[in-house]
Amino acid sequence: MKVPAWLLRHRVKVEPYAGDSAYGPTYGPAVEGVPALVTLAVRTVRDREGREVTSSATVIAGPDLDCPAESRITLPDGRTTRAIAVAKHTAPGLPVPESVEVSCE
């Protein structure tokens, strides 16, 4: 069961992180109009290396979102940010919605 579409009121653009090159980070093809629920709130999260960092936005999307840590995300207000941590929420066999939670810089 996926997160209900009526909860995903915002649209974001996601450019999945593909790795580093000699010229800096590289990204896969941009996916525009991704349905999401965006919360602008400051909180402390741990990045992929375990350091505590400050997140200024949280994006919740459907379980099929391809957004590894370090991906570039354009929020509904036009601000471009970076994915710090990504959590996939699943509960196989239980009647609760599956989703992906992305903590952004």
Side-chain angles (χ1 to χ4, degrees), residues 2-14 31-38 58-67 73-74 76 98-102:
K2 294 182 180 183
V3 64
W6 60 269
L7 285 175
L8 307 177
R9 311 288 286 182
H10 302 108
R11 298 294 177 264
V12 297
K13 179 170 97 173
V14 177
V31 180
E32 300 213 23
V34 175
L37 178 63
V38 179
T58 302
V59 175
I60 296 175
D64 52 348
L65 177 67
D66 178 26
C67 182
I73 299 172
T74 303
E98 297 179 349
S99 63
V100 172
E101 177 183 355
V102 182

Side-chain angles (χ1 to χ4, degrees), residues 67-73 81-86 102-105:
C67 182
E70 303 296 324
S71 294
R72 196 164 40 198
I73 299 172
T81 185
R82 180 178 60 91
I84 299 171
V86 179
V102 182
S103 298
C104 301
E105 200 169 53

Side-chain angles (χ1 to χ4, degrees), residues 33-91:
V34 175
L37 178 63
V38 179
T39 305
L40 301 176
V42 177
R43 66 186 184 128
T44 303
V45 297
R46 292 198 181 269
D47 66 7
R48 65 184 181 153
E49 296 173 356
R51 294 180 300 218
E52 283 190 355
V53 295
T54 302
S55 168
S56 64
T58 302
V59 175
I60 296 175
D64 52 348
L65 177 67
D66 178 26
C67 182
E70 303 296 324
S71 294
R72 196 164 40 198
I73 299 172
T74 303
L75 300 175
D77 63 4
R79 181 171 60 110
T80 301
T81 185
R82 180 178 60 91
I84 299 171
V86 179
K88 294 187 182 272
H89 301 290
T90 62

